Amino acid sequence: MNVDRSLLQRALRLAEKGISEGHGPFGAVIALGGKIVGEASNSVVKSGDPTAHAEILAIREAASILRTHDLSSCVLYSSCEPCPMCLGAIYWSGIRKVVYAADRHDAEKSGFSDKLIYDELALDPGARKIEFVRLPDAGGEEVFRKWDEFENKVPY
Amino acid sequence: MNVDRSLLQRALRLAEKGISEGHGPFGAVIALGGKIVGEASNSVVKSGDPTAHAEILAIREAASILRTHDLSSCVLYSSCEPCPMCLGAIYWSGIRKVVYAADRHDAEKSGFSDKLIYDELALDPGARKIEFVRLPDAGGEEVFRKWDEFENKVPY
């Protein structure tokens, strides 16, 4: 079994372990050079934190262990295709490769909203199920001008 | 000034405060019945956590204070249109309304990847800049079957 298959199996076992502990059926592992630097099961219900998906927790652990928000040398293994929240986190962390087993359609069949959220994100804000109100005259652009002009900023 | 404008101004002031403290130029507030139950500035660089966007931190704080992952009675105010990661978190938390000032195009002009990530999410996994490898024979569907059959699960 190659490294990718082996680490994906570990993510799947974390998903199964999560089920028996009352978590959602999702597990994730992050590896650097084949060595695990972060791993987690989904823990939304038990922790009461809606962001506590397996991938988010694994990314936070890897960033803490590696002491950087830049995980561009890492690979993420997930029992299921990452949802939009987790995929966004993957992009922000710079993770270079994602290996996964099930997909958003499998998740949907078991009652999870991954596909719904993907579909919602592709819509204009005004067409979504959640009410989106933009106040363009509130001063949002001016904040970015202050950022542009701030000399000690650290871009990322 | 109505409640929405007032709370959005607070999010904008958190964004400005963040800039001067070395954070990215983003701030967010979550309110329940007009009362603030979570607020934050972006702290990715200082914390080394790539998920530490203002909205994510505010959602985690509100969930902790309200002791539930269900924030469906809450409104989120953000200095800028939430990125896909934060928007995903908003959907998972059930937040019912989002009020924001700047948008993804303003963020892009100041060097942030929000629009890029929105564009990437709309692509098939194989067409994205990050390498996505699905191993459909790895057993991902079987994990969902175990979830379906688990009698003590808590759907969310």
Side-chain angles (χ1 to χ4, degrees), chain A residues 16 91 101 120 134 146, chain B residues 16 42 91 101 120 134 146:
Chain A
E16 290 182 342
Y91 275 92
E120 285 279 297
R134 185 177 180 207
K146 287 183 183 171
Chain B
E16 289 181 340
N42 176 299
Y91 275 92
E120 285 279 295
R134 186 178 179 204
K146 288 184 182 171

Side-chain angles (χ1 to χ4, degrees), chain A residues 5-6 92 99 110 112 135 145:
Chain A
R5 284 197 175 270
S6 172
W92 288 117
V99 181
S110 288
F112 291 94
L135 300 178
R145 293 298 80 73

Side-chain angles (χ1 to χ4, degrees), chain A residues 2 4-5 8-9 12-13 15-16 19-26 42 44-45 48-51 53 56 59-60 63-64 67-71 79-104 106-107 109-114 116-118 120-125 128-148 150 152-156, chain B residues 2 4-5 8-9 12-13 15-16 19-26 42 44-45 48-51 53 56 59-60 63-64 67-71 79-104 106-107 109-114 116-118 120-125 128-148 150 152-156:
Chain A
N2 68 24
D4 279 353
R5 284 197 175 270
L8 183 57
Q9 284 304 315
L12 288 158
R13 296 297 83 73
E16 290 182 342
I19 294 172
S20 62
E21 293 173 353
H23 299 305
F26 303 94
N42 176 299
V44 169
V45 173
D49 175 0
T51 75
H53 285 202
I56 295 283
I59 286 170
R60 295 180 65 210
S64 175
R67 295 175 175 270
T68 173
H69 63 82
D70 178 2
L71 305 181
S79 62
C80 185
E81 180 185 6
C83 81
M85 174 177 72
C86 295
L87 192 53
I90 288 163
Y91 275 92
W92 288 117
S93 72
I95 283 173
R96 66 181 174 82
K97 180 178 172 183
V98 176
V99 181
Y100 63 104
D103 71 4
R104 69 184 81 173
D106 298 314
K109 284 180 210 156
S110 288
F112 291 94
S113 307
D114 303 58
L116 167 76
I117 300 175
Y118 269 107
E120 285 279 297
L121 259 72
L123 299 175
D124 285 331
R128 296 185 187 136
K129 294 182 192 300
I130 294 176
E131 184 183 357
F132 280 78
V133 179
R134 185 177 180 207
L135 300 178
D137 62 344
E141 289 180 55
E142 287 79 349
V143 171
F144 281 112
R145 293 298 80 73
K146 287 183 183 171
W147 165 260
D148 294 340
F150 185 64
N152 296 317
K153 64 177 172 285
V154 183
Y156 68 92
Chain B
N2 69 23
D4 279 353
R5 285 197 175 270
L8 183 58
Q9 284 303 316
L12 288 159
R13 297 296 83 75
E16 289 181 340
I19 294 171
S20 62
E21 293 172 354
H23 299 306
F26 303 95
N42 176 299
V44 169
V45 173
D49 175 359
T51 75
H53 284 202
I56 295 282
I59 286 171
R60 295 181 64 210
S64 175
R67 294 175 175 271
T68 174
H69 62 82
D70 178 2
L71 305 181
S79 62
C80 184
E81 179 186 6
C83 81
M85 173 177 73
C86 296
L87 192 53
I90 288 163
Y91 275 92
W92 288 116
S93 72
I95 284 172
R96 65 180 175 84
K97 179 179 172 183
V98 176
V99 181
Y100 62 103
D103 70 4
R104 68 185 81 172
D106 297 315
K109 284 181 210 155
S110 288
F112 291 94
S113 306
D114 303 56
L116 167 76
I117 300 176
Y118 269 107
E120 285 279 295
L121 259 72
L123 299 175
D124 285 331
R128 295 182 187 137
K129 293 182 192 303
I130 293 177
E131 183 182 358
F132 279 79
V133 179
R134 186 178 179 204
L135 300 178
D137 62 345
E141 289 180 55
E142 288 80 347
V143 171
F144 281 112
R145 294 297 80 70
K146 288 184 182 171
W147 166 260
D148 292 340
F150 185 65
N152 296 318
K153 63 177 172 285
V154 183
Y156 68 92

